[in-house]
Amino acid sequence: MRLMRILGGFILAGLAFANLGAQEKQVAKPVKAVRFGKLWDAKGKVWNNAIVIVEGDRIRAVTTDASAIPAAAEVIDLSRYTGLPGLIDVHTHMTMYTDETSGEPMLKQLTISPPAVEVFLARKGALRTLESGVTTVRDLGADQYMDIAMRDLINRGEMIGPRMFVCGYGLYITATPFKKEGTPPAGGIADGVPEVLKAVRQQIAAGADVIKMYGSTGTDDDVTGFETYTYEEMKAAVETAHQFGKKIAIHSYGPDGARDAVRAGADSVEHATDMDDATIQDMVKRGTFYVPTIDHNRYYLDNGDKIGYAPGYKEKLQAFIPRNLETAQRAFRAGVKIAMGSDAIYTMFGQNTRELGWFVKAGMTPEQALQTATVNGAALLGKEKELGAVAAGYFADLVAVQGDPLADISVTLNNVKWVMKGGEVLVNKSGH
Ligand SMILES: [Zn+2]
């Protein structure tokens, strides 16, 4: 039945295409021309007085020639601002949005809300994420396939939010304290190679875009980093994901899980504090991405009481953050590819790009920091020809900021004025 429908769809599409001919111009997609005072295109060029011509959801051209603007185009004048590509956050938990109004610790809210309520509430976090200039996320762990529902609702235009690439359940071993006061989502538990293979295949069958594996302990105020999965289990997960053309992110708070994740061929390692230099060299050699997620520890430190952490969390996080930063610094100096991931959860949405401030502290220039949230994020998603740059053929994901983001990274963190995703203006504080 489904096959018949698909075939039917192809036949109809074919007929429609055959009919197009002379009428093509009348059914043309809407054209917009967006003017920026300056534009950083993430392809190595800063344009003055740039005009980005957008057709439907894609960029048709980037030019400085005003005569290239089609007569029918809607002109959006952002010449007071600097343009950037839509930013990419490669580590979020979009469905784990909470607020501070219910009187419940946020940690508990996540365990008591039914999935439909969580997905509905998550639209607020999705909007805040867009307002921070993030138009694409890689979402790394959700319960009951809420992430797949949310991705599909956004793609259908029923929810406003960033483009999502999702993993379904992250894989973790039995007895990992995923949430101390909660119930681990049963869908992701897998022990031993056969169960790992099954769990990876289940996520892919459910519609996951990417695979996530928890390769060590550590989450929230738990900053331990004991390796959980064996090298053989990691290797099995990596091979199965790659067999189906999916990338895999492996979480490790500590160095042992990171070493085995890299050796097993993971596409990215998340958190990975205290990595040894041999692991870092292995990442350079293999092209493994590092997603340090330093700022989420800062968020936990600032909000631990509201989240509901036990006393003592401050000391643990205060000791962990400098080690996380130091690891990022060593990895960056060694030439490891780094991608920006916020690990946004609870009320952290909207603070997605604060990680870039840590990257500058780790020694990056503002431009290098912006690359982690554009070209590097796109490459980690395998979407380097469509996302993360302002160039012909790419998705029309554009951000306008007030000030010079190449001189001062805080411009990107604090001064986002306007956001377009797939040719649609979704955030507008520009006064235009
Ligand atoms: Zn995470």
Side-chain angles (χ1 to χ4, degrees):
M1 190 63 200
R2 197 196 282 174
L3 184 65
M4 289 290 286
R5 275 203 203 153
I6 291 166
L7 286 173
F10 272 117
I11 291 162
L12 285 176
L15 287 173
F17 186 74
N19 274 338
L20 252 160
Q23 291 176 14
E24 194 169 6
K25 281 192 182 107
Q26 286 160 13
V27 295
K29 295 165 186 165
V31 178
K32 292 169 185 163
V34 188
R35 288 174 171 273
F36 292 108
K38 277 193 175 176
L39 170 71
W40 180 73
D41 67 5
K43 291 266 187 187
K45 187 168 171 181
V46 179
W47 301 64
N48 286 310
N49 301 314
I51 303 166
V52 182
I53 299 174
V54 172
E55 184 174 1
D57 64 357
R58 300 276 177 162
I59 294 166
R60 190 206 280 178
V62 185
T63 179
T64 54
D65 177 8
S67 72
I69 299 176
E74 176 197 346
V75 177
I76 300 172
D77 184 8
L78 300 171
S79 50
R80 287 189 292 151
Y81 301 120
T82 302
L84 300 172
L87 303 175
I88 301 170
D89 182 347
V90 296
H91 193 136
T92 62
H93 298 275
M94 299 297 292
T95 62
M96 299 184 182
Y97 167 90
T98 60
D99 56 37
E100 295 171 13
T101 57
S102 73
E104 286 281 4
M106 297 194 276
L107 200 55
K108 208 168 178 188
Q109 281 184 50
L110 284 186
T111 66
I112 56 174
S113 293
V117 172
E118 280 193 40
V119 172
F120 188 75
L121 292 175
R123 77 200 191 287
K124 291 185 179 172
L127 193 56
R128 284 177 203 159
T129 299
L130 282 173
E131 286 170 344
S132 74
V134 169
T135 51
T136 299
V137 302
R138 187 180 65 153
D139 202 66
L140 291 184
D143 197 3
Q144 307 211 34
Y145 297 126
M146 286 186 268
D147 54 347
I148 288 173
M150 193 169 169
R151 174 197 67 191
D152 293 349
L153 285 166
I154 289 171
N155 287 345
R156 282 167 58 175
E158 298 292 345
M159 191 187 271
I160 296 170
R163 188 176 286 106
M164 289 176 70
F165 295 92
V166 307
C167 73
Y169 286 98
L171 273 65
Y172 52 93
I173 62 161
T174 297
T176 297
F178 176 76
K179 292 265 184 291
K180 278 180 183 160
E181 295 175 19
T183 317
I189 292 174
D191 295 297
V193 168
E195 285 186 17
V196 164
L197 296 183
K198 186 170 186 180
V200 171
R201 290 168 182 161
Q202 277 174 336
Q203 307 322 308
I204 294 169
D209 304 295
V210 60
I211 296 299
K212 164 78 177 285
M213 184 177 221
Y214 290 89
S216 85
T217 58
T219 183
D220 281 297
D221 57 338
D222 171 6
V223 293
T224 62
F226 300 110
E227 185 169 4
T228 49
Y229 277 113
T230 64
Y231 167 75
E232 286 72 23
E233 289 168 316
M234 289 184 184
K235 180 98 181 136
V238 168
E239 282 176 357
T240 310
H242 288 176
Q243 184 186 350
F244 289 91
K246 308 294 182 191
K247 301 202 184 229
I248 176 167
I250 299 187
H251 157 123
S252 179
Y253 264 49
D256 298 335
R259 183 192 60 238
D260 280 342
V262 172
R263 205 156 64 90
D267 297 284
S268 67
V269 291
E270 315 295 308
H271 322 299
T273 293
D274 302 333
M275 279 194 289
D276 53 69
D277 289 330
T279 300
I280 286 173
Q281 282 311 320
D282 203 13
M283 292 174 83
V284 174
K285 196 178 81 196
R286 293 167 178 270
T288 317
F289 279 91
Y290 179 32
V291 183
T293 70
I294 303 161
D295 192 57
H296 83 133
N297 299 303
R298 185 277 314 161
Y299 170 81
Y300 295 156
L301 188 57
D302 288 353
N303 295 277
D305 292 341
K306 290 177 205 157
I307 297 169
Y309 295 152
Y313 73 85
K314 283 186 183 154
E315 292 74 11
K316 286 191 281 182
L317 289 162
Q318 272 161 351
F320 190 70
I321 291 169
R323 283 158 46 204
N324 202 169
L325 176 61
E326 189 269 343
T327 312
Q329 204 165 34
R330 271 191 297 122
F332 171 66
R333 282 188 194 144
V336 174
K337 292 189 283 185
I338 293 177
M340 183 197 77
S342 65
D343 211 352
I345 186 170
Y346 307 125
T347 55
M348 195 184 163
F349 302 96
Q351 302 175 24
N352 305 63
T353 60
R354 284 213 197 174
E355 184 75 357
L356 299 178
W358 291 101
F359 289 171
V360 169
K361 277 196 189 120
M364 293 187 198
T365 64
E367 183 170 28
Q368 287 167 331
L370 285 170
Q371 283 164 349
T372 69
T374 51
V375 281
N376 287 9
L380 178 50
L381 289 168
K383 301 285 175 190
E384 58 271 40
K385 301 258 167 67
E386 294 187 299
L387 295 172
V390 183
Y394 281 66
F395 276 106
D397 294 355
L398 301 167
V399 175
V401 296
Q402 186 167 31
D404 182 357
L406 300 180
D408 179 4
I409 198 66
S410 71
V411 163
T412 305
L413 275 57
N414 302 320
N415 296 353
V416 171
K417 296 294 174 187
W418 176 96
V419 179
M420 171 182 272
K421 182 194 129 203
E424 278 188 80
V425 180
L426 297 180
V427 175
N428 189 0
K429 301 171 184 173
S430 71
H432 172 79

